[in-house]
Amino acid sequence: MADKVSRRNFLSLVGASTTGAVLFVACSGIPDEEFIVQAPVDLPEDLVKGRDNWFATTCGICDGGEGLIVRVMEGRAKKIAGNPDFPVNMGKQSVRCDSALQMLYHPDRIAQPLARHSKGSDLSPISWDEASALLKGWVGGGSVTVATNPLRGHLGKVAADFAAKFGGQHIQFDSLEQGVLHGAMKSVFGTDRLPEFDIANTQTLVSFGADFLGTWISPTNFSVKYGEFRQGENRSNRGKLYQIESRMSITAAAADHWIPIRPGMEGEMAMAIANVIVGDNLVSDGNIARYTANLPDGALEVFDLATVSGRTGVPEDTIHDLAQDLAENGPGLVIGGGSAGAHTNGSFNLAAIYSLNILIGSVGAEGGIFLNPESPWDGVPSSATGASFEEWERELSQWRAGNVNTVILRRADIIRGLPRSVNVQQALDNVEHVVAFTDILDDTSALADLVLPEASFLESWGTEIPEPAPGYQTVGIQQPVVTPARTRDGSRALSDARGFGDVLLDVADGDLGASSMKNLVEKATTALFDLDRSASSITAPTSGLFMRGSLQRGGWWDREGKVASRPQDAPPLTNTHATPEFAEAAAGEGEVFYLQPFSSIALLDGRFASAPWAQSTPDPITSAAWTTWAEINISTAKRLKISRGDKLIIKSTTGEIEVLAYPHFAVPPDVIGIPIGQGHENSGRWAEGRGANVLSILVDKKDAVTGALAWAATKVRVIRTGLNHEIARAEGTVDAFQVEPQFPIVVVRPGESAEDAIHDAEARHDPYRDPDDE
């Protein structure tokens, strides 16, 4: 019997050629399982009919930059899995990655470019030649703004360079992350990138508002580390997790201690923890000196236990015991984000939270925080976040004044994601030309003058620089892994889509340094090859073989490509911006609550709402799906006579939405939690008209330092309607009923209306029908 070919040996073999071989350096901890990862440069994916192949790429729709492998048969993607080689996610993938398959083959994908002949007219199909001519004419005729989702890697550089070439700017949009977290990293650690959180090797982990196992930043990455954090022969030597949050998230449910806190008071609790550690001398004098170097005299004393306990709603003993545990049971790690940074005092909160790592000596220490290096390519962004709400207000005022001639949108559904106070639609109406790149029409792209079908990341070339990286330089390579998507019967292409970067490079007529994204990737891998790093994950004799290896591997990394992680003095933390401000609730009837929006585990901010798999994925806390619900404290609900499924009006000073009540125990009495992601007027047949958009009722409060939207600073009134509708949930029982004899099952065929299908079924089951009439 032939010797078994190990996975590593196989990859070496398929990378070989007559001119040399590609040597792979495997990530530590990778199991020696056999699977095939191909590079489709010279190998057609349908070479052998009926045989599946695996191709490596990088997720282009999630935020963390996960490495993926895709199972392909005869050019069609069948399954997405995590890339076991990629150091960020180590073979795991999020539930959201699966939805990318349905979005690739979605029946509502835009088939070809669409244009309006005049403002207000209907969109009509045009050719790509016509669309390209329009776009070239428009961008050459005045100021241009390119508005996209946060972009890293070469696509981010292309978007920024394109905007600069035509005298405009590149502005990035994220409805939740708008610079507060990155600002805190700069303030506390002096870095522009998110650091590596060594969760796997910490002993005491304290998280303020960061749902790192659910939706925060890079949950797949964090979940892999969390699994290692929980390893141990007995519970006494496993890590301990404290989750401090105003609602029970997935992370709170997994924590050893969930500590509910009054919204916006996370920074004050962090300062109280520091007060205990410094006051009781629980850490070294050097750590205390670094932490207090920039603190005014008496700055800590104002955050005494009694005062902070009264303001946060957290018992004094709980704060004291947590401080002692964090200081004495090391290594310790403190992280914060999500709702903790979503208040008018968000920057203060996160600065106070992350400064605790300086106090306990976890910067640059195992189980703590390690700074991440910059991009291996000059000028290519390795970090990205959404522009602040304040920046968007200024930009929209330029649109409204007619100072921007052309706006190019890409995955920036600003109609849904920005508060009503800025009136995005009015601003767009005053832009002469609005161009949208999208796969399925969303609420913003539906208003565009020119709609261009964008290729999926499974059909495109590109690079990705994961954030956070694993503490050393890491790059993901994105490549087309499928043939162009076709209809189910194979009769025609589902969408004549093109890559966003490819279109911009074409319009720029070669002035951006490359003719296509594939050309950019070739140049990028050649630049990595020229670095000639001894610890490179790939070693090859030629740049061509190096690129082939990068594609097979799904990327490149250098374990010695690190930067020093030395603690610096903590920033000057004062109580100037310590207290959160909330907008007053709307006048009228109903009880007042703090509104706590939260990202849906499957829909995130709504970008996955078009996929039925995402819609049907149950929320891990409530098991609800396909709708928008409101989590309310069960005792509060009983007092207000609210039952599960009751229709509630949630009213702020800017508007109101209707949701279904979901009472349960793990909600503070004065908080109401509502998931983000639903409430689309467009976005395909499975998203349109479903649920409510909680972002639409947010007030325009901002973080005092960055100007980011304080999306947790809204108070609302909750009003009963007297109506009830059952919540779709993945639990409970369903009453069975007997099907009546000869009861027809109606099948609606492609192109057939429901009425025609029913009429046909009735005719076929009519005992008196004349067969000759068929």
Side-chain angles (χ1 to χ4, degrees):
M1 181 180 292
D3 291 339
K4 179 180 178 181
V5 179
S6 72
R7 175 178 153 280
R8 187 186 302 181
N9 290 338
F10 178 82
L11 288 174
S12 298
L13 288 171
V14 297
S17 74
T18 57
T19 58
V22 183
L23 175 64
F24 294 135
V25 180
C27 279
S28 60
I30 301 296
D32 201 35
E33 298 162 346
E34 290 189 61
F35 66 94
I36 302 173
V37 180
Q38 308 277 15
V41 178
D42 301 314
L43 179 66
E45 59 270 14
D46 56 353
L47 184 65
V48 180
K49 295 288 184 181
R51 177 176 175 178
D52 60 338
N53 296 286
W54 289 91
F55 298 106
T57 189
T58 301
C59 185
I61 197 168
C62 296
D63 295 325
E66 298 173 19
L68 303 176
I69 54 174
V70 185
R71 177 173 172 259
V72 178
M73 289 189 67
E74 299 180 12
R76 190 176 179 91
K78 299 292 186 179
K79 177 179 174 55
I80 290 178
N83 183 349
D85 266 353
F86 203 65
V88 170
N89 53 304
M90 303 292 283
K92 308 301 180 184
Q93 86 276 3
S94 77
V95 66
R96 296 174 288 276
C97 290
D98 293 331
S99 297
L101 286 180
Q102 287 192 323
M103 296 167 79
L104 173 65
Y105 299 114
H106 202 291
D108 296 325
R109 277 192 74 176
I110 299 168
Q112 64 187 93
L114 305 171
R116 301 184 197 277
H117 297 296
S118 61
K119 285 281 188 182
S121 64
D122 292 336
L123 288 166
S124 302
I126 61 172
S127 68
W128 265 108
D129 287 342
E130 293 172 304
S132 296
L134 282 175
L135 185 54
K136 288 181 180 181
W138 291 352
V139 298
S143 179
V144 175
T145 292
V146 179
T148 70
N149 60 303
L151 295 174
R152 300 181 296 266
H154 282 83
L155 190 58
K157 178 173 172 54
V158 167
D161 290 352
F162 182 90
K165 171 181 168 60
F166 293 102
Q169 72 155 333
H170 176 210
I171 185 169
Q172 303 185 90
F173 175 71
D174 191 302
S175 54
L176 302 183
E177 289 293 342
Q178 298 183 356
V180 178
L181 180 62
H182 284 75
M185 298 301 106
K186 186 70 172 178
S187 171
V188 178
F189 305 121
T191 179
D192 293 319
R193 297 200 69 195
L194 299 184
E196 157 76 347
F197 302 120
D198 192 12
I199 294 172
N201 295 307
T202 198
Q203 184 64 28
T204 303
L205 175 58
V206 180
S207 168
F208 288 83
D211 183 18
F212 65 89
L213 296 179
T215 59
W216 186 65
I217 306 299
S218 186
T220 306
N221 173 17
F222 299 143
S223 295
V224 171
K225 299 177 189 301
Y226 180 76
E228 297 178 41
F229 166 78
R230 285 301 198 189
Q231 298 303 308
E233 294 181 1
N234 55 67
R235 191 166 184 82
S236 63
N237 61 9
R238 298 175 189 172
K240 183 186 292 184
L241 168 62
Y242 293 87
Q243 181 73 6
I244 303 159
E245 193 174 8
S246 299
R247 63 170 291 271
M248 177 167 276
S249 64
I250 302 168
T251 307
D256 299 280
H257 300 279
W258 170 49
I259 303 174
I261 188 171
R262 190 162 293 129
M265 304 305 295
E266 294 86 353
E268 292 203 19
M269 183 169 170
M271 296 297 287
I273 291 171
N275 191 8
V276 172
I277 294 174
V278 172
D280 293 351
N281 289 306
L282 299 178
V283 295
S284 71
D285 291 342
N287 287 353
I288 292 176
R290 276 189 289 270
Y291 181 82
T292 58
N294 294 310
L295 286 183
D297 291 340
L300 270 183
E301 283 74 6
V302 300
F303 298 103
D304 63 276
L305 284 179
T307 300
V308 172
S309 176
R311 289 170 60 79
T312 62
V314 180
E316 292 182 46
D317 289 347
T318 300
I319 300 174
H320 184 276
D321 293 348
L322 192 160
Q324 194 169 37
D325 204 6
L326 180 63
E328 296 180 349
N329 294 317
L333 173 62
V334 185
I335 63 176
S339 58
H343 293 273
T344 58
N345 64 341
S347 288
F348 166 81
N349 287 344
L350 295 193
I353 290 164
Y354 282 101
S355 292
L356 287 173
N357 292 288
I358 296 174
L359 180 59
I360 63 175
S362 66
V363 180
E366 184 180 75
I369 283 179
F370 294 92
L371 303 188
N372 271 311
E374 292 297 325
S375 166
W377 302 295
D378 291 338
V380 175
S382 57
S383 182
T385 187
S388 71
F389 178 53
E390 194 170 82
E391 291 176 271
W392 271 102
E393 284 183 313
R394 289 196 295 268
E395 179 63 28
L396 291 174
S397 69
Q398 293 297 308
W399 299 5
R400 208 171 281 112
N403 296 330
V404 176
N405 183 67
T406 302
V407 170
I408 298 175
L409 298 159
R410 190 259 187 182
R411 293 190 194 167
D413 194 0
I414 52 179
I415 288 284
R416 280 193 72 257
L418 287 173
R420 289 175 176 169
S421 62
V422 292
N423 199 339
V424 174
Q425 183 166 348
Q426 181 194 64
L428 284 170
D429 287 343
N430 284 277
V431 175
E432 187 173 356
H433 307 299
V434 179
V435 182
F437 286 80
T438 187
D439 51 355
I440 299 169
L441 281 179
D442 59 29
D443 293 348
T444 304
S445 58
L447 302 175
D449 304 300
L450 176 63
V451 178
L452 302 178
E454 184 185 1
S456 163
F457 71 90
L458 298 171
E459 302 168 306
S460 306
W461 290 93
T463 65
E464 171 65 288
I465 302 176
E467 190 175 29
Y472 48 87
Q473 285 185 322
T474 302
V475 167
I477 303 294
Q478 183 180 300
Q479 61 176 325
V481 299
V482 295
T483 55
R486 304 190 68 81
T487 55
R488 185 175 294 275
D489 61 6
S491 61
R492 62 177 177 82
L494 191 62
S495 174
D496 184 15
R498 298 184 182 181
F500 174 64
D502 286 318
V503 175
L504 296 190
L505 289 169
D506 176 65
V507 171
D509 289 327
D511 289 348
L512 302 185
S515 58
S516 66
M517 289 302 295
K518 180 182 179 181
N519 183 222
L520 265 184
V521 171
E522 291 170 342
K523 292 182 177 182
T525 55
T526 298
L528 294 176
F529 172 78
D530 291 341
L531 292 176
D532 194 24
R533 298 276 184 86
S534 61
S536 169
S537 58
I538 302 165
T539 302
T542 67
S543 60
L545 284 173
F546 186 93
M547 179 175 178
R548 181 191 294 269
S550 300
L551 296 176
Q552 291 175 231
R553 209 67 191 276
W556 168 93
W557 46 93
D558 176 10
R559 288 184 171 274
E560 293 183 1
K562 302 179 180 181
V563 293
S565 299
R566 299 186 181 92
Q568 61 180 29
D569 292 343
L573 301 167
T574 67
N575 61 355
T576 304
H577 300 300
T579 304
E581 297 178 7
F582 292 87
E584 291 301 319
E589 62 175 316
E591 187 112 349
V592 176
F593 290 82
Y594 294 104
L595 175 61
Q596 191 77 52
F598 61 93
S599 293
S600 161
I601 183 66
L603 307 183
L604 276 187
D605 53 5
R607 74 188 76 168
F608 294 96
S610 61
W613 279 346
Q615 287 282 0
S616 60
T617 299
D619 175 71
I621 302 299
T622 63
S623 83
W626 289 101
T627 190
T628 304
W629 64 94
E631 298 174 4
I632 185 171
N633 179 272
I634 195 163
S635 297
T636 303
K638 287 180 179 177
R639 177 171 59 81
L640 298 177
K641 296 181 171 55
I642 294 174
S643 302
R644 189 172 64 207
D646 281 356
K647 292 186 178 181
L648 305 176
I649 299 296
I650 311 298
K651 185 177 182 181
S652 73
T653 54
T654 61
E656 63 184 46
I657 58 174
E658 184 178 275
V659 298
L660 303 179
Y662 195 101
H664 71 98
F665 292 97
V667 184
D670 54 356
V671 170
I672 191 161
I674 299 179
I676 300 167
Q678 301 282 20
H680 299 260
E681 293 184 13
N682 295 281
S683 290
R685 66 190 69 183
W686 289 292
E688 294 169 4
R690 186 173 300 283
N693 177 21
V694 65
L695 299 175
S696 69
I697 63 171
L698 298 184
V699 297
D700 53 0
K701 287 284 188 180
K702 306 183 201 56
D703 170 56
V705 176
T706 65
L709 179 66
W711 49 264
T714 299
K715 285 186 176 180
V716 295
R717 290 191 181 273
V718 175
I719 306 164
R720 296 174 60 232
T721 65
L723 302 174
N724 185 282
H725 188 281
E726 188 170 355
I727 299 176
R729 297 183 300 140
E731 61 177 283
T733 58
V734 177
D735 293 333
F737 62 92
Q738 184 177 357
V739 177
E740 297 178 14
Q742 297 184 340
F743 190 90
I745 297 175
V746 178
V747 178
V748 182
R749 295 173 176 80
E752 185 179 31
S753 69
E755 290 78 8
D756 289 343
I758 293 171
H759 177 76
D760 180 59
E762 289 175 344
R764 283 187 286 106
H765 287 82
D766 181 359
Y768 302 106
R769 74 184 188 283
D770 186 348
D772 294 335
D773 292 339
E774 295 182 359

